[in-house]
Amino acid sequence: MEKGTLVEFRLNGDRRLAVVDRPEGKKHWVVVDERGQPYTLHPRQVTYVVTGQAFKSGDISSFRAEIQPYLDPSSLEVAWELLVEDSELADPSGMALLLFSDQSPALCYAAHCLLSEDKIYFKQKSDSYEPRSKAQVAELKHQLTVEGQRIQEWQGFLQRVNQALQGEQVEWQNSDRPRLEALERFAAFGEEAKNRTPALEVLTAFGRAETTQAAFQLLVDLGLWSPHENLFLRRSQIPTQFSSRVLEMAQCRLADPPLDLDPERLDLTHLKVYTIDDESTREIDDGLSVEFLELGKQRLWIHIADPTRWITPEDELDLEARRRCTTLYLPTGMIPMFPQELATGPMSLTQGRICTALSFGVVLDSEGAIEDYSIHASQVKPTYRLTYEDVDEILELGVQAEPELEALARSAKRRQIWRQSQGAITILMPESSIKVQDDEITIDVLDNSISRQLVAEMMILAGEVAGRYGREHGLPLPYRGQAQPELPSEEELLLLPAGPVRYCAIRRCMPRSEMSITPLRHASLGLDTYTQVTSPIRRYTDLLAHFQIKAHLRGDALPFSAETMKELMLSVSTAAYEATLVERQTNRYWGLEYLRRHPNEIWQALMLRWLREHENLGLVLLEELGLELAMRFNRPIEPGDRLDVKVTYADPRQDVIQFAESTEREAQPVGT
């Protein structure tokens, strides 16, 4: 190369121009760029030599300016269309002639720049460039379009995130969902989350740590999650929304109810029907009546809502209920098994409206055993919508106008005594109801009142009747049972303080209940056969029992064979266990959050039992809240001792709670 030759080379990937100044050694050259900066180059580092003109380093800027107007990449498409048919090769000189009808040094270099930067139409082949095929060009154009769209979407996403972080109202786009969902998965599942890369990219883009806690906080900061987001629910397989198809079917059933398969329903609309629930309950699935017969006899009626009137086996609503398997009751609200329009509408036993039901008529003998029973598809008209508190008040006041309630209460008490004579085991541990509304937590301990005992006994009675009917007719139903527990001896139990401590010891010995398509004894209920049928709007196994019993009452073929029933029970049991776990974990979270918010409160605790005595770790009951929690003691203590405690540390998200004993009052044994 001669002095004054303009050459191109690359420095850290960038295109540079410089003028040859002098040789350096045998093979290298010293070149000088437009700023006077010298570089030593090997000939292999030179990517283009501008021929036909001598230059000085001061000419480089004007040379750049001269070629700038010709650097339009789209001009290559015209050249490609001319060359592709014959696959003609092109070099910078030939391309300059083709594009610009001139082969001046500047235009030849402009053609070189276009060809060397091109990623679509031409590929380099030695010192020339070969046109790509039409198929290759089409694919490359598609890839560039997709990439451009991706970059545009990413920039838009970053902009919307910044707006949301500044408190502005943001309308998220469909293209944002994959990134936000990846962030949600990472926040919920951590290292186990699938496809974490988009989440990590987002965290990095906003200078946040690549941790689940940082992902959680970003979602909170964006207003997409609450600080108390239910991660237990998010980690589960439980659906929280109904699909549009399910909602459409629900609307269709409301507008055009299916044909009633039981047109000859028993008309019980003349009976006074009481529905008794908590005030917040919206799915009313049971009601009670008493029919006064001759000779002082009474027929108890347990009316159960009949959702099978509105659905058929294997339809969209049935399959959705099967997938959910239960209504989920959480402190923050419920997640229903059926769409609300149906569940709280025509499926429920609504006061003052004629409703379809499955009614169990039962006559008890003097001891409380079943003397006679019948089951009917029926029509009822609920008379009173009562709360447990209403019923307790009516019974306490002895309201003469409601003798049916008094009769129900007496029958419930007789049933309870009879079941105890059959070996029923009663465990009366305090239960708490935790509600969260507008971020305010309330915890109420449920009283074991007469009204609750009344309803519980009537529901158990309906379950025994359903089990008997299934057993007598050989129906495959979801029978529930429980093996006989090995309880502590009477002497051992008497050594424990009566009440929660003793009940806790008994509870530890109780085996898990089980389900079978054949009748089982239920030890703790004291029944030889039992099938849950009283919550078909919110428990799928109850719905299955309704399908089977109603079909048999009509004389129709059973919708579910024994084998199918067995398979359904297996899958539903798995889903129900997951739902129960989510309910328990969520209640515990809000219980700990309530305690965290009351750090200065002193709670009375009852020591129930040892968890690990060698570590001084025991289970205590906070009696005012009905919460059972672990506590480590720093002094000798025994089950049954009461003590005052304060929360020293609580972290609901990490499931940690620590107590310290208050010194205001010494621990006292129960009863002192």
Side-chain angles (χ1 to χ4, degrees), residues 76-88:
L76 280 180
E77 186 172 8
V78 177
W80 171 77
E81 288 174 348
L82 294 172
L83 299 174
V84 68
E85 293 297 339
D86 299 322
S87 298
E88 292 183 46

Side-chain angles (χ1 to χ4, degrees), residues 348-588:
S348 282
L349 301 183
T350 305
Q351 179 181 344
R353 195 185 70 197
I354 294 177
C355 307
T356 55
L358 186 63
S359 294
F360 297 76
V362 190
V363 177
L364 300 178
D365 65 18
S366 59
E367 301 297 319
I370 296 172
E371 183 177 287
D372 185 36
Y373 76 85
S374 59
I375 307 176
H376 309 271
S378 66
Q379 284 190 146
V380 297
K381 188 176 182 181
T383 316
Y384 298 117
R385 161 82 158 94
L386 302 176
T387 65
Y388 291 108
E389 291 76 16
D390 293 334
V391 175
D392 286 330
E393 187 175 349
I394 290 170
L395 292 173
E396 285 172 18
L397 294 174
V399 177
Q400 296 298 313
E402 305 300 334
E404 292 88 351
L405 276 179
E406 184 64 42
L408 283 166
R410 284 197 302 268
S411 296
K413 187 63 180 175
R414 198 156 81 248
R415 277 290 294 175
Q416 184 184 33
I417 294 169
W418 177 80
R419 287 195 306 105
Q420 286 174 340
S421 73
Q422 303 301 303
I425 300 166
T426 303
I427 299 175
L428 300 176
M429 293 296 290
E431 286 186 54
S432 60
S433 170
I434 304 177
K435 303 288 184 189
V436 180
Q437 190 158 10
D438 299 328
D439 199 45
E440 185 168 333
I441 311 167
T442 57
I443 301 182
D444 296 314
V445 179
L446 302 179
D447 295 327
N448 185 36
S449 64
I450 295 174
S451 60
R452 290 186 186 275
Q453 292 173 25
L454 184 162
V455 172
E457 285 297 336
M458 292 300 110
M459 299 305 105
I460 293 170
L461 177 57
E464 184 185 5
V465 170
R468 280 196 179 194
Y469 186 85
R471 182 178 63 187
E472 289 168 10
H473 298 284
L475 305 184
L477 297 176
Y479 298 94
R480 283 199 169 268
Q482 188 181 44
Q484 191 67 35
E486 294 184 16
L487 298 178
S489 67
E490 195 69 30
E491 293 77 13
E492 289 176 285
L493 288 175
L494 287 173
L495 292 175
L496 297 173
V501 176
R502 194 176 295 173
Y503 287 130
C504 184
I506 295 172
R507 185 181 63 186
R508 287 190 69 193
C509 302
M510 300 303 293
R512 285 183 63 179
S513 63
E514 51 187 305
M515 278 202 299
S516 170
I517 60 168
T518 55
L520 298 168
R521 174 165 174 76
H522 200 298
S524 65
L525 293 180
L527 301 177
D528 290 332
T529 180
Y530 176 69
T531 300
Q532 286 181 316
V533 288
T534 57
S535 295
I537 303 177
R538 45 190 172 182
R539 202 163 47 209
Y540 189 73
T541 50
D542 298 41
L543 190 74
L544 285 175
H546 276 233
F547 275 131
Q548 298 288 81
I549 291 171
K550 283 184 62 188
H552 189 268
L553 287 170
R554 288 193 301 267
D556 292 350
L558 298 181
F560 302 106
S561 67
E563 195 58 39
T564 302
M565 182 65 75
K566 194 182 296 183
E567 291 171 2
L568 284 174
M569 281 164 44
L570 186 64
S571 64
V572 168
S573 294
T574 303
Y577 176 76
E578 183 177 40
T580 301
L581 196 61
V582 168
E583 284 182 339
R584 188 180 300 140
Q585 291 169 325
T586 306
N587 274 286
R588 179 176 169 86

Side-chain angles (χ1 to χ4, degrees), residues 6 31 43 46 60 81 145 165 168 181 235 274 319 352 386 432 434 440 473 488 501 513 519 572 589 608 660:
L6 183 63
V31 298
V46 174
I60 295 176
E81 288 174 348
T145 301
L165 291 175
E168 296 179 30
E181 286 169 1
R235 290 169 187 147
Y274 304 92
L319 295 176
L386 302 176
S432 60
I434 304 177
E440 185 168 333
H473 298 284
V501 176
S513 63
V572 168
Y589 174 91
L608 293 175

Side-chain angles (χ1 to χ4, degrees), residues 47 63 97 137 248 277 289 354 384 417 454 526 614 639:
T47 52
F63 182 79
L97 187 62
V137 168
E248 285 168 13
D277 284 283
S289 300
I354 294 177
Y384 298 117
I417 294 169
L454 184 162
H614 64 285

Side-chain angles (χ1 to χ4, degrees), residues 4 52 154 160 184 217 243 283 289 304 345 496 502 550 600 629 671:
W154 172 246
R160 285 185 288 278
E184 290 173 347
Q217 190 57 50
S243 69
E283 298 172 338
S289 300
I304 308 302
L496 297 173
R502 194 176 295 173
K550 283 184 62 188
N600 299 318
L629 298 161

